[in-house]
Amino acid sequence: MSTASAATTLPAESIDSYRRNGYLHVAGVLDAAEVAEAHDAAIALSSTMASRRYKGEPFTQLVNCWQHDERLRALTLDPRIAGLAETLAGVPLRLWHDQTLIKQPQRSTATEFHLDAPYWPHAGGRHWLTAWVALVDVPVERGCMTFLPGSHVDGDFVSVDLENATALFDALPHLRWWPRVTVPLRAGDLTFHHGLTAHAATPNLTDEPRVAHAVIYMDADTRYSGTRHVVADPLGLEPESPFAHELFPRVPGDSRLTP
Ligand code: SIN
Ligand code: NI
């Protein structure tokens, strides 16, 4: 685990660990005031913005919050987080989208094991990763993440129902007995996970909402594959074109990267 003092840079062993395991816990990226501001913004937005619907209730899922709230915009575009992401990915990045994910107390269901990247209409990308930022303390019983370390390395690419507990293991039986790492987070910590790392989250059995904000990045050279996705569908992108659109800014947005 990296420490708070390392929140804007990463030691070589953390980068190695991410590349080997496909996830990394970075502690203390946001301070208490930043957490409180983003948490309050997320809760407020959840009463005005529609959630994507599921069969059960793995989470209240608000997509592209940065387009609706200035405080969440600041978090999604936070150059500290994007800088860490770019260091880990080793390629220039664009924002793909963000998601505020709230597991409602007592009634949320598990987020079952799945891979993220196969859901996305992406072609030619060399990397995808998600910064999953805890906006409350997230012990195991509030819905923390579990990863299958190293499961990204073979590049297995299957899209499964994240409400079906056996779907990933039916599709990729070698993962069924894979060791698992469960990562409780303190508010202000984050984990990064690679788009092909198998992961899941427990239900929230506590009385407090589990509030997390996921910032999802893609290789800046990723092309649009043309398959359906809630973020890309309304935009009229040409298949095989780059994601050169204001919804997908280059991050961390510094002058090393051309617009
Ligand atoms: C969750 O927050 O419950 C799951 C997040 C993810 O699948 O990336
Ligand atoms: Ni996921």
Side-chain angles (χ1 to χ4, degrees):
M1 177 177 54
S2 298
T3 59
S5 60
T8 53
T9 58
L10 289 169
E13 57 267 29
S14 295
I15 301 169
D16 286 351
S17 175
Y18 169 78
R19 295 203 178 147
R20 236 178 315 111
N21 294 315
Y23 78 93
L24 182 71
H25 176 187
V26 187
V29 174
L30 301 189
D31 66 25
E34 292 170 323
V35 167
E37 187 163 271
H39 170 272
D40 293 353
I43 294 292
L45 198 59
S46 69
S47 65
T48 57
M49 202 177 152
S51 171
R52 289 192 66 196
R53 301 200 70 89
Y54 286 88
K55 290 193 292 286
E57 196 174 329
F59 31 55
T60 301
Q61 183 180 31
L62 311 177
V63 175
N64 266 346
C65 303
W66 72 289
Q67 293 291 301
H68 299 271
D69 182 275
E70 281 305 313
R71 293 170 293 177
L72 293 173
R73 181 185 186 91
L75 177 56
T76 291
L77 300 181
D78 190 319
R80 295 169 299 179
I81 300 174
L84 295 174
E86 192 181 58
T87 299
L88 294 174
V91 298
L93 297 176
R94 286 183 195 277
L95 177 68
W96 163 220
H97 62 280
D98 71 17
Q99 299 185 5
T100 287
L101 295 168
I102 302 176
K103 277 190 184 283
Q104 301 297 347
Q106 301 293 347
R107 66 167 201 263
S108 65
T109 52
T111 313
E112 304 290 0
F113 277 98
H114 65 279
L115 315 176
D116 291 339
Y119 297 144
W120 299 330
H122 293 172
R126 293 161 293 180
H127 209 106
W128 323 253
L129 76 170
T130 296
W132 192 97
V133 185
L135 298 180
V136 289
D137 284 344
V138 187
V140 176
E141 62 274 15
R142 190 165 285 135
C144 79
M145 296 273 271
T146 294
F147 303 99
L148 304 194
S151 53
H152 65 304
V153 169
D154 287 344
D156 292 317
F157 209 86
V158 294
S159 171
V160 299
D161 176 359
L162 59 69
E163 294 189 276
N164 179 332
T166 65
L168 185 70
F169 305 111
D170 294 342
L172 300 174
H174 65 287
L175 294 183
R176 202 181 294 274
W177 298 101
W178 202 276
R180 302 177 179 191
V181 177
T182 294
V183 186
L185 297 185
R186 303 307 298 254
D189 291 4
L190 61 78
T191 51
F192 285 103
H193 66 271
H194 185 285
L196 292 179
T197 301
H199 59 283
T202 41
N204 180 4
L205 305 176
T206 73
D207 293 327
E208 185 184 335
R210 187 220 68 181
V211 187
H213 188 73
V215 185
I216 308 171
Y217 308 95
M218 59 181 162
D219 178 346
D221 291 336
T222 304
R223 300 184 310 278
Y224 174 52
S225 70
T227 58
R228 301 208 56 177
H229 187 275
V230 64
V231 170
D233 288 350
L235 304 180
L237 301 172
E238 276 298 312
E240 288 306 316
S241 63
F243 281 87
H245 185 281
E246 63 188 11
L247 270 190
F248 314 113
R250 296 278 185 113
V251 288
D254 71 21
S255 54
R256 284 174 297 157
L257 303 173
T258 51

